[in-house]
Amino acid sequence: MLRFDYGMAAAGVPVSAIEALGRRAGECNRMLEEGTGAGADFLGWVSLPSSVTETELRRVKDAAEKLRAVADVVVVVGIGGSYLGARAVLEALGNPFACLRRERSGPDVVFAGQNISEDYLYDLLEALQGRSVGVIVISKSGTTTEPAIAFRILRGELERRYGKAGARERIVAVTDRSRGALKGLADREGYATFVIPDDVGGRYSVLTPVGLLPLAAAGIDIGALVAGAREMEAATAAGVPFGRNPAEQYAAARNVLYGAGYRVEILGSYEPSLHYVGEWWKQLFGESEGKEGKGIFPASVTLTADLHSMGQYIQDGERMLFETVVSVASPLHELRIGTGGDEDGLGFLAGRRLSEVNRMAEAGVALAHCDGGVPNLRVDIDRVDAYGVGGLLYFFERACGISGYLLGVNPFDQPGVEAYKRNMYALLDKPGYEKEGRRLRERLKER
Ligand code: PA5
């Protein structure tokens, strides 16, 4: 269902060096399964696809159905790992032009709490006028400022419109089993609640209710998503030989390229629907590996669009880049270029499928980038459907865990994320941060 091709890494490092790392990659993979590496308390995601039960999926689907019955817009509130997975799958599988349709088959799903922009939330509230609204609020810690602010505002709006009891029917919380302000609030208000398992960190949580509930609310086949991930769990298990294990191969290739000075990885795809998979992937790898002064900087491009903005740099700029392309074998639909005439110079393409042109663009770019000193890796998937995307996400998670261990970091913590929060609280005079607030204000004056 998914293949990994590192043949074109040869533009930067010998393929034999990647294969030489195979044994170590296998050991790191085993550490994930046996819980013998750093961050072993956060390995619940490893066997999540094979352990999620029909009953759990049913409960998620039932809650989603209830929301779909009362709401024609569902606002999903969350940030980081409590946001990007659902968004990535939704954008991958949804029709980007759904807003143009007169007939809707289910609620619109939109996102909030991933920023603190006054205008963003104002525009959202305005757009919600006249619509019937439901809210899914997601926060593992239950204390993250951005979603907490958005939820306070949206909850106020729902209570104003529907009363407290009516709002209760339209709000579902996804949070920790016992800790955090959101858990307390959900218990007090009697919201339907889903638990994020203790041993699954935010950026690895897309296959828990964090991702599954918003996706089910959008009408996505979460059973197929999990089934794709389940197959990938088997295909990437420790014990599957390196030559057939795409996650170990990808992790090893990244590690060898990093060691050879390739410090930036660009994830690209020729399917624009995968744009947010790139955003999700950036968080996954950036937050998992970027620590202790180490780590590949993850960037992403959507192709061919970004060849007309970033293409020059990739081809010709500073040589520190390698590229990983998610290559999709078959489109879901068929569309051909019109026949007749050559006034526009496209006679040679008449009658040919767009996917053929797209594939030739992809092949031509890979060769050009390799010639320009940008090693290429390729992740091949059959198509962008729920099954394929489930497999793709799990593949990246598994490779990320192995890659973090190869790099020698704990891929399951994120100590650096706290620094900005402390400063923001101090500058906003949060109780307990007053002294630090005065010190930071002095620093800002000095600037
Ligand atoms: O991966 C992570 O742990 C983070 O990106 C979190 O998901 C993000 O900070 C949101 O945290 P929370 O779900 O606690 O609100």
Side-chain angles (χ1 to χ4, degrees):
M1 70 180 293
L2 177 150
R3 294 154 302 280
F4 180 70
D5 185 339
Y6 54 94
M8 286 170 105
V13 292
V15 163
S16 58
I18 297 171
E19 281 154 6
L21 205 59
R23 225 182 80 163
R24 180 71 194 129
E27 285 164 9
C28 291
N29 198 8
R30 193 161 293 287
M31 284 156 65
L32 290 176
E33 277 182 13
E34 294 178 352
T36 50
D41 288 348
F42 290 96
L43 291 173
W45 60 272
V46 174
S47 58
L48 202 57
S50 61
S51 56
V52 69
T53 64
E54 276 309 313
T55 315
E56 284 164 335
L57 287 182
R58 185 73 267 154
R59 200 181 152 237
V60 170
K61 287 180 193 166
D62 287 349
E65 270 318 312
K66 274 193 193 150
L67 274 180
R68 287 167 66 87
V70 292
D72 61 30
V73 185
V74 174
V75 185
V76 180
V77 179
I79 194 167
S82 293
Y83 155 62
L84 282 164
R87 180 138 201 190
V89 180
L90 192 63
E91 304 265 340
L93 303 181
N95 182 326
F97 306 108
C99 62
L100 300 180
R101 284 192 178 139
R102 273 186 232 288
E103 302 286 315
R104 303 276 161 85
S105 55
D108 292 316
V109 174
V110 297
F111 294 88
Q114 79 281 31
N115 60 58
I116 326 173
S117 163
E118 194 157 334
D119 287 341
Y120 183 95
L121 216 49
Y122 184 95
D123 286 346
L124 173 61
L125 289 173
E126 201 175 62
L128 292 177
Q129 295 312 311
R131 305 288 302 266
S132 178
V133 183
V135 171
I136 299 173
V137 54
I138 309 170
S139 176
K140 179 159 191 208
S141 64
T143 57
T144 308
T145 309
E146 291 92 333
I149 291 173
F151 182 55
R152 179 188 271 233
I153 291 171
L154 286 161
R155 178 166 61 103
E157 174 70 9
L158 261 60
E159 287 178 357
R160 191 183 61 73
R161 285 194 199 185
Y162 310 113
K164 263 196 175 285
R168 184 177 304 132
E169 299 307 308
R170 293 165 178 268
I171 295 175
V172 183
V174 184
T175 188
D176 187 79
R177 191 180 311 279
S178 55
R179 281 168 303 162
L182 179 57
K183 171 66 182 159
L185 184 64
D187 285 351
R188 247 188 340 274
E189 298 295 330
Y191 300 147
T193 304
F194 284 85
V195 169
I196 308 172
D198 288 344
D199 57 358
V200 180
R203 59 191 174 275
Y204 294 84
S205 68
V206 60
L207 297 170
T208 73
V210 169
L212 298 180
L213 180 61
L215 294 171
I220 282 168
D221 182 353
I222 57 171
L225 190 80
V226 172
R230 193 179 305 127
E231 183 174 329
M232 192 50 56
E233 183 187 329
T236 56
V240 175
F242 182 78
R244 287 194 277 113
N245 193 319
E248 291 181 9
Q249 292 171 2
Y250 179 40
R254 300 178 81 249
N255 190 271
V256 172
L257 286 161
Y258 180 63
Y262 294 94
R263 297 301 157 103
V264 177
E265 176 178 10
I266 307 171
L267 187 81
S269 173
Y270 291 75
E271 288 301 333
S273 62
L274 294 180
H275 173 83
Y276 265 92
V277 170
E279 298 302 308
W280 171 86
W281 170 92
K282 284 194 280 195
Q283 186 204 354
L284 179 68
F285 279 89
E287 222 168 69
S288 297
E289 294 193 319
K291 48 196 71 160
E292 300 170 29
K294 298 193 260 193
I296 294 169
F297 183 84
S300 64
V301 287
T302 298
L303 303 166
T304 59
D306 291 342
L307 292 174
H308 297 262
S309 56
M310 299 299 290
Q312 172 60 36
Y313 192 104
I314 298 171
Q315 187 68 44
D316 235 2
E318 193 173 341
R319 299 300 70 188
M320 56 176 173
L321 313 171
F322 70 97
E323 194 170 46
T324 299
V325 173
V326 178
S327 180
V328 180
S330 315
L332 300 173
H333 311 286
E334 182 173 334
L335 194 60
R336 290 180 187 272
I337 297 166
T339 51
D342 192 33
E343 303 85 359
D344 53 5
L346 291 184
F348 71 107
L349 293 178
R352 290 162 87 170
R353 288 186 65 173
L354 259 75
S355 52
E356 184 193 346
V357 182
N358 209 17
R359 249 199 328 276
M360 290 310 118
E362 182 180 324
V365 169
L367 292 170
H369 286 177
C370 282
D371 291 346
V374 179
N376 258 252
L377 307 175
R378 211 176 69 229
V379 180
D380 287 303
I381 61 170
D382 292 338
R383 59 185 67 80
V384 182
D385 56 11
Y387 188 81
V389 171
L392 181 66
L393 298 185
Y394 186 86
F395 158 76
F396 278 133
E397 288 181 353
R398 189 80 183 213
C400 186
I402 301 169
S403 184
Y405 282 165
L406 282 174
L407 188 64
V409 299
N410 175 356
F412 309 113
D413 66 1
Q414 53 284 329
V417 180
E418 295 309 311
Y420 97 91
K421 291 186 193 168
R422 279 193 301 274
N423 286 353
M424 181 175 77
Y425 294 152
L427 289 168
L428 287 166
D429 294 318
K430 184 172 178 174
Y433 290 79
E434 296 84 351
K435 194 168 155 213
E436 183 62 1
R438 284 193 291 279
R439 199 181 68 76
L440 290 181
R441 271 188 283 276
E442 282 310 310
R443 272 183 65 193
L444 287 175
K445 267 195 234 150
E446 282 161 19
R447 281 208 311 199

mmCIF file of all heavy atoms in Angstrom, residues 214-254:
data_model
loop_
_atom_site.group_PDB
_atom_site.id
_atom_site.type_symbol
_atom_site.label_atom_id
_atom_site.label_comp_id
_atom_site.label_asym_id
_atom_site.label_seq_id
_atom_site.Cartn_x
_atom_site.Cartn_y
_atom_site.Cartn_z
ATOM 1 N N PRO A 214 -13.622 14.755 15.208
ATOM 2 C CA PRO A 214 -13.915 15.771 14.184
ATOM 3 C C PRO A 214 -14.088 15.161 12.797
ATOM 4 O O PRO A 214 -14.931 15.603 12.011
ATOM 5 C CB PRO A 214 -12.680 16.683 14.206
ATOM 6 C CG PRO A 214 -12.016 16.433 15.505
ATOM 7 C CD PRO A 214 -12.374 15.039 15.928
ATOM 8 N N LEU A 215 -13.295 14.118 12.501
ATOM 9 C CA LEU A 215 -13.386 13.517 11.166
ATOM 10 C C LEU A 215 -14.710 12.798 10.976
ATOM 11 O O LEU A 215 -15.343 12.901 9.921
ATOM 12 C CB LEU A 215 -12.210 12.568 10.937
ATOM 13 C CG LEU A 215 -10.855 13.296 10.882
ATOM 14 C CD1 LEU A 215 -9.703 12.306 10.884
ATOM 15 C CD2 LEU A 215 -10.784 14.193 9.642
ATOM 16 N N ALA A 216 -15.158 12.088 12.017
ATOM 17 C CA ALA A 216 -16.461 11.423 11.925
ATOM 18 C C ALA A 216 -17.554 12.480 11.797
ATOM 19 O O ALA A 216 -18.524 12.293 11.048
ATOM 20 C CB ALA A 216 -16.690 10.543 13.150
ATOM 21 N N ALA A 217 -17.406 13.610 12.497
ATOM 22 C CA ALA A 217 -18.410 14.680 12.389
ATOM 23 C C ALA A 217 -18.466 15.222 10.958
ATOM 24 O O ALA A 217 -19.516 15.649 10.483
ATOM 25 C CB ALA A 217 -18.101 15.804 13.380
ATOM 26 N N ALA A 218 -17.325 15.176 10.279
ATOM 27 C CA ALA A 218 -17.282 15.652 8.888
ATOM 28 C C ALA A 218 -17.778 14.584 7.915
ATOM 29 O O ALA A 218 -17.835 14.824 6.708
ATOM 30 C CB ALA A 218 -15.856 16.061 8.538
ATOM 31 N N GLY A 219 -18.082 13.394 8.432
ATOM 32 C CA GLY A 219 -18.610 12.332 7.559
ATOM 33 C C GLY A 219 -17.531 11.459 6.952
ATOM 34 O O GLY A 219 -17.777 10.711 6.004
ATOM 35 N N ILE A 220 -16.317 11.536 7.494
ATOM 36 C CA ILE A 220 -15.215 10.738 6.942
ATOM 37 C C ILE A 220 -15.249 9.322 7.516
ATOM 38 O O ILE A 220 -15.615 9.127 8.679
ATOM 39 C CB ILE A 220 -13.881 11.473 7.212
ATOM 40 C CG1 ILE A 220 -13.780 12.588 6.168
ATOM 41 C CG2 ILE A 220 -12.675 10.541 7.136
ATOM 42 C CD1 ILE A 220 -12.748 13.594 6.382
ATOM 43 N N ASP A 221 -14.876 8.366 6.695
ATOM 44 C CA ASP A 221 -14.910 6.957 7.094
ATOM 45 C C ASP A 221 -13.714 6.666 8.007
ATOM 46 O O ASP A 221 -12.629 6.297 7.551
ATOM 47 C CB ASP A 221 -14.868 6.092 5.819
ATOM 48 C CG ASP A 221 -14.945 4.610 6.129
ATOM 49 O OD1 ASP A 221 -14.893 4.238 7.320
ATOM 50 O OD2 ASP A 221 -15.056 3.827 5.163
ATOM 51 N N ILE A 222 -13.937 6.827 9.322
ATOM 52 C CA ILE A 222 -12.810 6.656 10.254
ATOM 53 C C ILE A 222 -12.410 5.180 10.373
ATOM 54 O O ILE A 222 -11.269 4.872 10.717
ATOM 55 C CB ILE A 222 -13.096 7.275 11.648
ATOM 56 C CG1 ILE A 222 -14.364 6.691 12.292
ATOM 57 C CG2 ILE A 222 -13.154 8.789 11.567
ATOM 58 C CD1 ILE A 222 -14.560 7.107 13.738
ATOM 59 N N GLY A 223 -13.330 4.278 10.060
ATOM 60 C CA GLY A 223 -12.987 2.852 10.065
ATOM 61 C C GLY A 223 -11.913 2.570 9.018
ATOM 62 O O GLY A 223 -10.937 1.847 9.275
ATOM 63 N N ALA A 224 -12.071 3.148 7.825
ATOM 64 C CA ALA A 224 -11.087 2.934 6.757
ATOM 65 C C ALA A 224 -9.760 3.599 7.108
ATOM 66 O O ALA A 224 -8.682 3.068 6.813
ATOM 67 C CB ALA A 224 -11.632 3.491 5.441
ATOM 68 N N LEU A 225 -9.837 4.761 7.751
ATOM 69 C CA LEU A 225 -8.609 5.463 8.160
ATOM 70 C C LEU A 225 -7.795 4.584 9.118
ATOM 71 O O LEU A 225 -6.586 4.388 8.939
ATOM 72 C CB LEU A 225 -8.996 6.775 8.855
ATOM 73 C CG LEU A 225 -7.875 7.752 9.148
ATOM 74 C CD1 LEU A 225 -7.502 8.548 7.904
ATOM 75 C CD2 LEU A 225 -8.273 8.720 10.268
ATOM 76 N N VAL A 226 -8.495 4.029 10.112
ATOM 77 C CA VAL A 226 -7.824 3.179 11.104
ATOM 78 C C VAL A 226 -7.338 1.883 10.437
ATOM 79 O O VAL A 226 -6.244 1.394 10.734
ATOM 80 C CB VAL A 226 -8.772 2.888 12.296
ATOM 81 C CG1 VAL A 226 -8.170 1.846 13.226
ATOM 82 C CG2 VAL A 226 -9.067 4.170 13.074
ATOM 83 N N ALA A 227 -8.127 1.349 9.506
ATOM 84 C CA ALA A 227 -7.714 0.108 8.825
ATOM 85 C C ALA A 227 -6.417 0.326 8.041
ATOM 86 O O ALA A 227 -5.510 -0.522 8.044
ATOM 87 C CB ALA A 227 -8.825 -0.377 7.899
ATOM 88 N N GLY A 228 -6.301 1.482 7.397
ATOM 89 C CA GLY A 228 -5.068 1.795 6.656
ATOM 90 C C GLY A 228 -3.885 1.888 7.611
ATOM 91 O O GLY A 228 -2.787 1.388 7.326
ATOM 92 N N ALA A 229 -4.120 2.518 8.749
ATOM 93 C CA ALA A 229 -3.049 2.641 9.745
ATOM 94 C C ALA A 229 -2.679 1.263 10.300
ATOM 95 O O ALA A 229 -1.506 0.973 10.554
ATOM 96 C CB ALA A 229 -3.497 3.568 10.873
ATOM 97 N N ARG A 230 -3.693 0.411 10.470
ATOM 98 C CA ARG A 230 -3.444 -0.931 11.014
ATOM 99 C C ARG A 230 -2.543 -1.728 10.069
ATOM 100 O O ARG A 230 -1.604 -2.391 10.488
ATOM 101 C CB ARG A 230 -4.780 -1.647 11.222
ATOM 102 C CG ARG A 230 -4.661 -2.896 12.066
ATOM 103 C CD ARG A 230 -6.010 -3.555 12.276
ATOM 104 N NE ARG A 230 -6.991 -2.650 12.844
ATOM 105 C CZ ARG A 230 -8.213 -2.396 12.358
ATOM 106 N NH1 ARG A 230 -8.619 -3.019 11.258
ATOM 107 N NH2 ARG A 230 -9.023 -1.562 12.947
ATOM 108 N N GLU A 231 -2.826 -1.608 8.777
ATOM 109 C CA GLU A 231 -1.977 -2.341 7.830
ATOM 110 C C GLU A 231 -0.548 -1.800 7.886
ATOM 111 O O GLU A 231 0.435 -2.543 7.817
ATOM 112 C CB GLU A 231 -2.528 -2.251 6.408
ATOM 113 C CG GLU A 231 -1.650 -3.089 5.487
ATOM 114 C CD GLU A 231 -2.152 -3.204 4.071
ATOM 115 O OE1 GLU A 231 -3.374 -3.176 3.875
ATOM 116 O OE2 GLU A 231 -1.307 -3.334 3.163
ATOM 117 N N MET A 232 -0.440 -0.486 8.050
ATOM 118 C CA MET A 232 0.904 0.113 8.106
ATOM 119 C C MET A 232 1.621 -0.263 9.399
ATOM 120 O O MET A 232 2.851 -0.407 9.401
ATOM 121 C CB MET A 232 0.772 1.630 7.969
ATOM 122 C CG MET A 232 2.065 2.359 7.734
ATOM 123 S SD MET A 232 3.092 1.705 6.409
ATOM 124 C CE MET A 232 1.963 1.772 5.050
ATOM 125 N N GLU A 233 0.862 -0.419 10.471
ATOM 126 C CA GLU A 233 1.484 -0.877 11.735
ATOM 127 C C GLU A 233 2.163 -2.234 11.506
ATOM 128 O O GLU A 233 3.304 -2.455 11.948
ATOM 129 C CB GLU A 233 0.416 -0.980 12.842
ATOM 130 C CG GLU A 233 0.984 -1.372 14.185
ATOM 131 C CD GLU A 233 -0.120 -1.641 15.231
ATOM 132 O OE1 GLU A 233 -1.199 -1.025 15.171
ATOM 133 O OE2 GLU A 233 0.128 -2.495 16.103
ATOM 134 N N ALA A 234 1.465 -3.121 10.784
ATOM 135 C CA ALA A 234 2.055 -4.442 10.514
ATOM 136 C C ALA A 234 3.252 -4.323 9.570
ATOM 137 O O ALA A 234 4.278 -4.982 9.758
ATOM 138 C CB ALA A 234 0.987 -5.359 9.916
ATOM 139 N N ALA A 235 3.140 -3.440 8.574
ATOM 140 C CA ALA A 235 4.198 -3.332 7.559
ATOM 141 C C ALA A 235 5.470 -2.691 8.099
ATOM 142 O O ALA A 235 6.544 -2.839 7.509
ATOM 143 C CB ALA A 235 3.673 -2.520 6.364
ATOM 144 N N THR A 236 5.344 -1.964 9.214
ATOM 145 C CA THR A 236 6.512 -1.245 9.744
ATOM 146 C C THR A 236 6.974 -1.829 11.083
ATOM 147 O O THR A 236 7.811 -1.239 11.768
ATOM 148 C CB THR A 236 6.181 0.254 9.944
ATOM 149 O OG1 THR A 236 5.030 0.358 10.814
ATOM 150 C CG2 THR A 236 5.884 0.955 8.641
ATOM 151 N N ALA A 237 6.411 -2.973 11.452
ATOM 152 C CA ALA A 237 6.735 -3.552 12.770
ATOM 153 C C ALA A 237 8.219 -3.893 12.856
ATOM 154 O O ALA A 237 8.872 -4.194 11.842
ATOM 155 C CB ALA A 237 5.899 -4.817 12.980
ATOM 156 N N ALA A 238 8.748 -3.850 14.080
ATOM 157 C CA ALA A 238 10.118 -4.317 14.291
ATOM 158 C C ALA A 238 10.113 -5.803 13.926
ATOM 159 O O ALA A 238 9.187 -6.531 14.262
ATOM 160 C CB ALA A 238 10.501 -4.127 15.744
ATOM 161 N N GLY A 239 11.111 -6.223 13.223
ATOM 162 C CA GLY A 239 11.105 -7.630 12.787
ATOM 163 C C GLY A 239 10.805 -7.738 11.307
ATOM 164 O O GLY A 239 11.215 -8.706 10.664
ATOM 165 N N VAL A 240 10.078 -6.748 10.734
ATOM 166 C CA VAL A 240 9.951 -6.720 9.270
ATOM 167 C C VAL A 240 11.324 -6.283 8.756
ATOM 168 O O VAL A 240 11.831 -5.231 9.158
ATOM 169 C CB VAL A 240 8.865 -5.717 8.803
ATOM 170 C CG1 VAL A 240 8.849 -5.616 7.283
ATOM 171 C CG2 VAL A 240 7.501 -6.112 9.342
ATOM 172 N N PRO A 241 11.966 -7.092 7.914
ATOM 173 C CA PRO A 241 13.345 -6.783 7.519
ATOM 174 C C PRO A 241 13.481 -5.381 6.906
ATOM 175 O O PRO A 241 12.554 -4.884 6.260
ATOM 176 C CB PRO A 241 13.660 -7.853 6.470
ATOM 177 C CG PRO A 241 12.635 -8.907 6.631
ATOM 178 C CD PRO A 241 11.437 -8.290 7.272
ATOM 179 N N PHE A 242 14.643 -4.776 7.125
ATOM 180 C CA PHE A 242 14.896 -3.417 6.658
ATOM 181 C C PHE A 242 14.530 -3.248 5.171
ATOM 182 O O PHE A 242 13.927 -2.253 4.793
ATOM 183 C CB PHE A 242 16.379 -3.070 6.875
ATOM 184 C CG PHE A 242 16.733 -1.676 6.465
ATOM 185 C CD1 PHE A 242 16.416 -0.594 7.272
ATOM 186 C CD2 PHE A 242 17.382 -1.432 5.251
ATOM 187 C CE1 PHE A 242 16.737 0.713 6.889
ATOM 188 C CE2 PHE A 242 17.705 -0.142 4.864
ATOM 189 C CZ PHE A 242 17.387 0.933 5.687
ATOM 190 N N GLY A 243 14.861 -4.230 4.370
ATOM 191 C CA GLY A 243 14.601 -4.144 2.932
ATOM 192 C C GLY A 243 13.126 -4.032 2.595
ATOM 193 O O GLY A 243 12.758 -3.623 1.496
ATOM 194 N N ARG A 244 12.249 -4.384 3.549
ATOM 195 C CA ARG A 244 10.802 -4.297 3.300
ATOM 196 C C ARG A 244 10.107 -3.369 4.285
ATOM 197 O O ARG A 244 8.881 -3.326 4.323
ATOM 198 C CB ARG A 244 10.178 -5.700 3.392
ATOM 199 C CG ARG A 244 10.515 -6.592 2.213
ATOM 200 C CD ARG A 244 9.635 -7.828 2.159
ATOM 201 N NE ARG A 244 10.116 -8.898 3.022
ATOM 202 C CZ ARG A 244 9.478 -9.344 4.104
ATOM 203 N NH1 ARG A 244 8.331 -8.819 4.478
ATOM 204 N NH2 ARG A 244 9.984 -10.325 4.829
ATOM 205 N N ASN A 245 10.887 -2.663 5.090
ATOM 206 C CA ASN A 245 10.282 -1.845 6.144
ATOM 207 C C ASN A 245 10.412 -0.355 5.809
ATOM 208 O O ASN A 245 11.467 0.262 6.043
ATOM 209 C CB ASN A 245 10.962 -2.153 7.485
ATOM 210 C CG ASN A 245 10.184 -1.594 8.650
ATOM 211 O OD1 ASN A 245 9.676 -0.478 8.570
ATOM 212 N ND2 ASN A 245 10.083 -2.358 9.720
ATOM 213 N N PRO A 246 9.348 0.243 5.255
ATOM 214 C CA PRO A 246 9.498 1.622 4.768
ATOM 215 C C PRO A 246 9.823 2.629 5.874
ATOM 216 O O PRO A 246 10.547 3.601 5.626
ATOM 217 C CB PRO A 246 8.133 1.928 4.128
ATOM 218 C CG PRO A 246 7.184 0.934 4.704
ATOM 219 C CD PRO A 246 7.987 -0.281 5.040
ATOM 220 N N ALA A 247 9.318 2.406 7.079
ATOM 221 C CA ALA A 247 9.577 3.383 8.156
ATOM 222 C C ALA A 247 11.045 3.358 8.555
ATOM 223 O O ALA A 247 11.669 4.408 8.769
ATOM 224 C CB ALA A 247 8.679 3.089 9.358
ATOM 225 N N GLU A 248 11.614 2.157 8.641
ATOM 226 C CA GLU A 248 13.042 2.063 8.981
ATOM 227 C C GLU A 248 13.885 2.674 7.860
ATOM 228 O O GLU A 248 14.876 3.362 8.113
ATOM 229 C CB GLU A 248 13.431 0.597 9.224
ATOM 230 C CG GLU A 248 12.818 0.025 10.492
ATOM 231 C CD GLU A 248 13.220 -1.421 10.770
ATOM 232 O OE1 GLU A 248 14.110 -1.954 10.072
ATOM 233 O OE2 GLU A 248 12.619 -2.030 11.685
ATOM 234 N N GLN A 249 13.487 2.420 6.627
ATOM 235 C CA GLN A 249 14.253 2.959 5.495
ATOM 236 C C GLN A 249 14.236 4.493 5.492
ATOM 237 O O GLN A 249 15.264 5.148 5.318
ATOM 238 C CB GLN A 249 13.672 2.449 4.175
ATOM 239 C CG GLN A 249 13.868 0.964 3.951
ATOM 240 C CD GLN A 249 13.085 0.459 2.752
ATOM 241 O OE1 GLN A 249 12.413 1.218 2.054
ATOM 242 N NE2 GLN A 249 13.163 -0.840 2.516
ATOM 243 N N TYR A 250 13.047 5.053 5.710
ATOM 244 C CA TYR A 250 12.929 6.523 5.689
ATOM 245 C C TYR A 250 13.749 7.126 6.834
ATOM 246 O O TYR A 250 14.498 8.097 6.644
ATOM 247 C CB TYR A 250 11.459 6.908 5.794
ATOM 248 C CG TYR A 250 11.153 8.393 5.823
ATOM 249 C CD1 TYR A 250 11.832 9.303 5.008
ATOM 250 C CD2 TYR A 250 10.157 8.901 6.665
ATOM 251 C CE1 TYR A 250 11.533 10.665 5.035
ATOM 252 C CE2 TYR A 250 9.846 10.253 6.696
ATOM 253 C CZ TYR A 250 10.543 11.131 5.889
ATOM 254 O OH TYR A 250 10.246 12.464 5.932
ATOM 255 N N ALA A 251 13.637 6.524 8.022
ATOM 256 C CA ALA A 251 14.378 7.049 9.171
ATOM 257 C C ALA A 251 15.883 6.971 8.907
ATOM 258 O O ALA A 251 16.624 7.925 9.188
ATOM 259 C CB ALA A 251 14.012 6.268 10.428
ATOM 260 N N ALA A 252 16.327 5.861 8.345
ATOM 261 C CA ALA A 252 17.764 5.706 8.083
ATOM 262 C C ALA A 252 18.234 6.701 7.030
ATOM 263 O O ALA A 252 19.286 7.335 7.177
ATOM 264 C CB ALA A 252 18.049 4.276 7.630
ATOM 265 N N ALA A 253 17.440 6.869 5.971
ATOM 266 C CA ALA A 253 17.823 7.798 4.904
ATOM 267 C C ALA A 253 17.951 9.221 5.450
ATOM 268 O O ALA A 253 18.922 9.943 5.164
ATOM 269 C CB ALA A 253 16.790 7.750 3.773
ATOM 270 N N ARG A 254 16.997 9.639 6.274
ATOM 271 C CA ARG A 254 17.045 10.989 6.857
ATOM 272 C C ARG A 254 18.301 11.152 7.710
ATOM 273 O O ARG A 254 18.982 12.156 7.669
ATOM 274 C CB ARG A 254 15.822 11.247 7.747
ATOM 275 C CG ARG A 254 14.502 11.148 7.067
ATOM 276 C CD ARG A 254 13.349 11.380 8.027
ATOM 277 N NE ARG A 254 13.116 12.794 8.253
ATOM 278 C CZ ARG A 254 13.342 13.437 9.364
ATOM 279 N NH1 ARG A 254 13.811 12.790 10.405
ATOM 280 N NH2 ARG A 254 13.105 14.730 9.468
#
